[in-house]
Amino acid sequence: MFDYFLHYEPQFRLIIFVSTFIIIFSWELLAKKRSSEFSVDRTLTNFLLMLINSLALRLVMPILAIELAFQLETKGFGILQQIALPEFAIFLISLILLDLAIYIQHVIFHKVPFLWRFHRVHHADTGFDVTTGVRFHPGEIIFSMFYKLILVLLLGPSAAAVLMFEILLSSSSLFTHANARMPRNIDILLRWFIVTPDMHRIHHSDQTDEALTNFGFNLSLWDRLFGTYRPDPNYDHIDMKIGTRNIPAKKASSIWYMLISPVYKN
Ligand SMILES: [Zn+2]
Ligand SMILES: [Zn+2]
C-alpha cells in the first residue's frame, strides 16, 4: 500500500500542495489582513524560486529524504529503529523530532552568517502572503535536503513519517505566511499547539529583535520551550514593516538579484 503511495508521491504531494494553496489564497481574498502586499514582480519572483527549487532538488540531489527513509526502513538504521514501540508511536515521535530538527535548522540559518545569506532571500520579501511560503533560495533548499538526509540516517524515522512531515512542512509554510485575518481568540487557542500566521509574521519583521523570534514551522512548542516565543510585534501587525533593512523592495523583487545575492555580505 505504502509502495503505491511512494510511487505516486510527487503527484500526491502536488495535489495536496495545489489544494492548500487555493484554500489559503481564497482565505486571503476573503479576509485580507494587510493591504498592498501584491506586486506582479515579487509574486513572479516567489513562484520562479519555487519552480527553480523543485528542479534543483531533482537535478542536484542523488536521493531525497523520503526515498532514503523508504530504503532504510527495514535495515535497522537510526535511533528510533532500535526502540521497541508500536508503529504509530514511532510515527508520532518521528514527526515531533523532525519538527524540532527543522526549528533548530531555522535558528542555524539565522545565526551562521554564511547560511543567513541564503535564508535572507526568504526574509527579503517586502510582502507577506501565501507566495512568501514558497520563496526560498535554491541553496537553502539543497542544504535543507542534506540536513534531512542526515536526520533520516541518525533518527531512522519511518518512511510514512518522513512523507507526512514533508507534506506538513510545505502545507504549513503556506498557512503560516497567509496574509489573512483570524479571530484573536482562535489565534490564541491555536498558538498553544501550532504556529499561526500572526505568530510567524513577527519573524518577518525588519526589526532584528523581532526577526530573531518565532522560528517554529509546525509546533509552537519549540519557541515556548527555548525562549524564542514572542506573542506580539512592537507595532501593530498592520503597521509593522516586513523585510530586511539592507535589501530594498526593488532588489527583493528581482529574481536575478535574489539568486546571486548570497555572494554579497550585506
Ligand atoms: Zn527565518
Ligand atoms: Zn517565513
Side-chain angles (χ1 to χ4, degrees):
M1 176 69 180
F2 189 69
D3 292 30
Y4 177 82
F5 265 124
L6 195 74
H7 186 70
Y8 290 102
E9 185 249 343
Q11 292 90 331
F12 181 58
R13 283 183 57 189
L14 185 68
I15 292 169
I16 295 180
F17 176 81
V18 172
S19 317
T20 312
F21 191 94
I22 292 170
I23 293 168
I24 305 290
F25 184 68
S26 310
W27 182 26
E28 290 185 336
L29 284 180
L30 293 170
K32 193 176 278 295
K33 178 108 185 175
R34 291 159 54 99
S35 58
S36 70
E37 303 280 312
F38 182 79
S39 119
V40 175
D41 283 357
R42 73 162 270 268
T43 306
L44 201 65
T45 293
N46 293 356
F47 277 125
L48 281 173
L49 282 170
M50 178 184 74
L51 290 177
I52 293 167
N53 289 339
S54 341
L55 213 64
L57 273 183
R58 295 281 155 190
L59 292 177
V60 177
M61 298 303 295
I63 189 167
L64 302 181
I66 171 73
E67 295 159 357
L68 182 67
F70 186 67
Q71 287 185 14
L72 296 180
E73 203 164 38
T74 50
K75 299 202 169 67
F77 264 96
I79 302 160
L80 291 171
Q81 291 195 27
Q82 316 305 320
I83 308 168
L85 274 174
E87 218 171 287
F88 189 67
I90 296 282
F91 176 81
L92 270 186
I93 296 169
S94 301
L95 284 183
I96 294 168
L97 289 180
L98 286 171
D99 196 48
L100 169 63
I102 292 297
Y103 166 89
I104 294 169
Q105 179 194 252
H106 192 182
V107 174
I108 292 171
F109 265 113
H110 276 263
K111 304 278 176 172
V112 177
F114 175 72
L115 294 176
W116 166 245
R117 293 183 188 199
F118 293 89
H119 186 55
R120 190 172 59 186
V121 168
H122 180 63
H123 282 266
D125 197 348
T126 48
F128 181 93
D129 63 22
V130 64
T131 68
T132 314
V134 297
R135 178 194 168 103
F136 295 94
H137 192 280
E140 173 168 359
I141 294 296
I142 303 254
F143 176 91
S144 182
M145 189 50 79
F146 273 114
Y147 181 76
K148 281 185 249 178
L149 289 176
I150 294 167
L151 285 174
V152 168
L153 279 171
L154 290 176
L155 288 176
S158 63
V162 178
L163 174 61
M164 180 57 103
F165 186 72
E166 292 282 27
I167 291 169
L168 279 175
L169 201 60
S170 53
S171 307
S172 71
S173 190
L174 299 177
F175 169 70
T176 57
H177 292 91
N179 176 29
R181 290 193 304 274
M182 182 187 285
R184 179 78 177 156
N185 49 357
I186 295 180
D187 179 66
I188 289 170
L189 181 72
L190 281 180
R191 274 190 204 197
W192 281 107
F193 310 98
I194 58 166
V195 177
T196 65
D198 275 4
M199 185 176 158
H200 189 66
R201 190 178 300 102
I202 301 167
H203 179 68
H204 277 260
S205 165
D206 75 338
Q207 315 273 315
T208 312
D209 62 328
E210 291 181 327
L212 293 176
T213 63
N214 299 356
F215 292 100
F217 271 89
N218 290 304
L219 299 174
S220 60
L221 170 75
W222 314 121
D223 282 301
R224 294 180 187 274
L225 204 62
F226 298 115
T228 51
Y229 175 64
R230 185 180 180 117
D232 295 298
N234 285 325
Y235 303 107
D236 186 64
H237 274 285
I238 311 296
D239 299 326
M240 68 180 279
K241 210 156 174 281
I242 304 277
T244 42
R245 286 193 191 167
N246 299 334
I247 303 177
K250 200 169 161 39
K251 281 184 170 175
S253 298
S254 153
I255 180 73
W256 306 114
Y257 185 79
M258 281 297 99
L259 285 173
I260 59 154
S261 64
V263 303
Y264 301 114
K265 196 165 175 229
N266 290 307

